[in-house]
Amino acid sequence: MSLPEIDLVVYPDECDAFGHLNQASFLSLFERARWEMLLRGPGMDVFTRAGAWPALRKTVIDYRAAAFPGDVLRFQQALTHHGRTSFTMRQTARRVRDEALIASAEFVFVCIDRDGKPVPVPLEFSEFMSARQGFTGETQRLTVHGVNLAVEVRGEGPAILFVHGYPLDRTIWREQIDALEGFRRIAPDLRGMGQSDAPDLGYGMALYAADLAALLDALGVDDVVLCGLSMGGYVAFEFLRQWRSRVRGLVLMDTRAEADAPEVRRARDAAASTARERGASAVGETMLPKMLAPSTLSGRPEIVERVRGLMAATPVAGMVGALGAMRDRAGSESLLPTLAGIPTLVLVGAADIITPPDQARAMAEAIPGARLAIIPGAGHLPPVEQPAATNESLREFLRSLP
Ligand code: MLT
């Protein structure tokens, strides 16, 4: 179940002297789409019922193409940040006829009472938005290091901590969270991504790792099987440097131990400029062909759209922060031989071109006792592209743990 898409027609009285939809009308169409969405869900009075009013605090709109009278625009909405009293919604408007992206926008709201004092975001609204965004389990919101993180926690048993890559969120683990019964599955959104807070500054691998350690403390979890995908693997290396005794098993998925080469560092800076100037979706579009296997790209449009949507919904601040954190991270090659004693699975998609199988094989060979699993039909995202095969490898690994 996803959030309702809203179709709205552009009227002549909303257009300027040259016939284009004007900027004030854009704002009101975005607003109407939000109210219509609530009308089809918990009701337009979901805020007033709770004694709260969503006051607009900040708006950023990217106007991408002109729209004209008679165009039908399809509005999609996503909740990209959820704090105690504030939330951020991302909306896009596409023309139905040719699917052209007309505009995308980010709206930051703070809930206030009649006296203008901040009050908590109504639970009913949060539940509606979260349930419709593809997560069925129990989502908690925990504050660590002054930042509110969204975390999915499901099941009982030994804990597995899933750490997503860039620019993605915890929902890449949806099929693992659903399937791996007998374990306490924990999947947070890293700061700056998904529904976690996205502060403007201060990102780094050490802080991502410290957030995870604090999250485990808050959940009362001592040790975990740590499973990181790509940038999640870079965070896992940092976690191992600081909290090795809390890691009872390690899964390194589609990741690498090496730091960025100079040309990759320059590409990170260029991507950060693109994100600032043209938004997260522009960065996502350049990454998409590299993220998925050719067979996924050509034959599985639902997965292509899922990943495209995840990347486009990443807050720009989080995207820029992650790019800087990856650019500045230390290499972890010297850590690999020291991981003897931590059972390790290195898993990679057979068609991954970002962190190819040969690199994964070399990493597995450098970690004493590590095993390697290559997942056919998957690119950089085996948990999403080939969930059954990924789950099978994970189960086999988990069963083998002491
Ligand atoms: C990721 O999936 O996390 C990124 O592709 C990692 C990277 O760009 O190094």
Side-chain angles (χ1 to χ4, degrees):
M1 204 168 28
S2 53
L3 287 166
E5 296 178 332
I6 308 296
D7 289 354
L8 299 172
V9 182
V10 176
Y11 290 125
D13 68 333
E14 293 169 324
C15 297
D16 62 24
F18 296 106
H20 309 124
L21 178 61
N22 70 39
Q23 290 164 15
S25 305
F26 251 124
L27 276 177
S28 78
L29 285 182
F30 273 121
E31 178 161 5
R32 257 184 58 208
R34 293 195 298 273
W35 287 117
E36 288 269 341
M37 175 193 72
L38 291 179
L39 190 64
R40 297 183 202 181
M44 282 170 98
D45 58 348
V46 64
F47 288 99
T48 43
R49 282 204 302 269
W53 183 253
L56 192 54
R57 194 166 65 184
K58 182 174 156 193
T59 306
V60 181
I61 302 191
D62 264 346
Y63 297 103
R64 307 297 289 271
F68 298 94
D71 281 349
V72 181
L73 302 186
R74 177 155 300 159
F75 289 83
Q76 288 177 317
Q77 14 282 322
L79 189 70
T80 55
H81 156 75
H82 187 304
R84 204 178 71 80
T85 59
S86 68
F87 63 93
T88 302
M89 285 191 61
R90 183 175 170 78
Q91 292 181 272
T92 55
R94 283 181 189 276
R95 186 164 37 224
V96 170
R97 174 165 47 83
D98 57 1
E99 296 202 352
L101 180 62
I102 303 297
S104 61
E106 215 166 62
F107 295 92
V108 181
F109 297 90
V110 59
C111 290
I112 53 171
D113 66 12
R114 279 182 191 284
D115 301 324
K117 282 210 274 326
V119 290
V121 178
L123 192 62
E124 220 188 328
F125 170 77
S126 316
E127 283 175 353
F128 166 69
M129 298 297 287
S130 308
R132 296 291 193 103
Q133 292 199 127
F135 244 76
T136 49
E138 200 188 324
T139 306
Q140 301 186 21
R141 301 206 60 91
L142 296 168
T143 297
V144 299
H145 304 128
V147 168
N148 194 261
L149 301 181
V151 54
E152 180 81 8
V153 184
R154 191 112 54 102
E156 291 303 327
I160 313 179
L161 177 60
F162 291 101
V163 190
H164 62 78
Y166 155 92
L168 303 164
D169 70 19
R170 68 193 196 277
T171 63
I172 66 160
W173 304 111
R174 193 161 71 198
E175 285 82 357
Q176 288 64 51
I177 300 261
D178 282 347
L180 296 175
E181 283 171 5
F183 292 88
R184 189 166 186 205
R185 289 93 76 193
I186 304 171
D189 283 340
L190 292 172
R191 63 168 61 214
M193 288 190 248
Q195 291 174 281
S196 288
D197 279 358
D200 284 334
L201 299 171
Y203 294 83
M205 288 304 152
L207 189 52
Y208 289 125
D211 284 349
L212 296 181
L215 201 65
L216 295 181
D217 292 342
L219 292 168
V221 173
D222 289 336
D223 58 18
V224 292
V225 174
L226 181 56
C227 174
L229 182 139
S230 201
M231 185 181 114
Y234 312 156
V235 178
F237 289 134
E238 199 55 47
F239 191 94
L240 282 159
R241 276 193 264 275
Q242 312 247 14
W243 292 279
R244 184 190 169 109
S245 63
R246 300 185 80 164
V247 181
R248 53 184 292 272
L250 177 65
V251 183
L252 296 170
M253 269 193 206
D254 299 84
T255 192
R256 63 163 76 79
E258 295 79 14
D260 281 356
E263 67 278 10
V264 179
R265 290 201 181 118
R266 283 193 290 276
R268 304 276 192 211
D269 291 339
S273 302
T274 305
R276 283 194 205 95
E277 286 159 21
R278 295 172 42 219
S281 54
V283 175
E285 288 308 311
T286 63
M287 290 185 69
L288 197 56
K290 291 179 263 172
M291 293 293 264
L292 300 168
S295 53
T296 311
L297 286 165
S298 61
R300 301 176 67 195
E302 71 293 351
I303 292 187
V304 176
E305 284 315 307
R306 176 174 161 194
V307 174
R308 171 179 276 133
L310 280 182
M311 295 199 286
T314 304
V316 168
M319 189 171 246
V320 171
L323 284 162
M326 289 192 286
R327 179 197 57 204
D328 297 339
R329 76 185 190 281
S332 297
E333 298 94 316
S334 61
L335 186 70
L336 304 181
T338 73
L339 298 179
I342 302 182
T344 300
L345 169 68
V346 175
L347 185 147
V348 66
D352 187 350
I353 53 173
I354 297 181
T355 49
D358 281 350
Q359 199 168 25
R361 184 171 291 108
M363 187 164 64
E365 281 166 6
I367 303 173
R371 39 183 112 164
L372 174 69
I374 299 181
I375 305 292
H380 193 53
L381 299 181
V384 177
E385 298 176 79
Q386 296 297 341
T390 302
N391 290 350
E392 202 32 57
S393 283
L394 285 174
R395 272 201 206 91
E396 198 185 309
F397 173 68
L398 293 168
R399 272 197 297 265
S400 75
L401 293 181

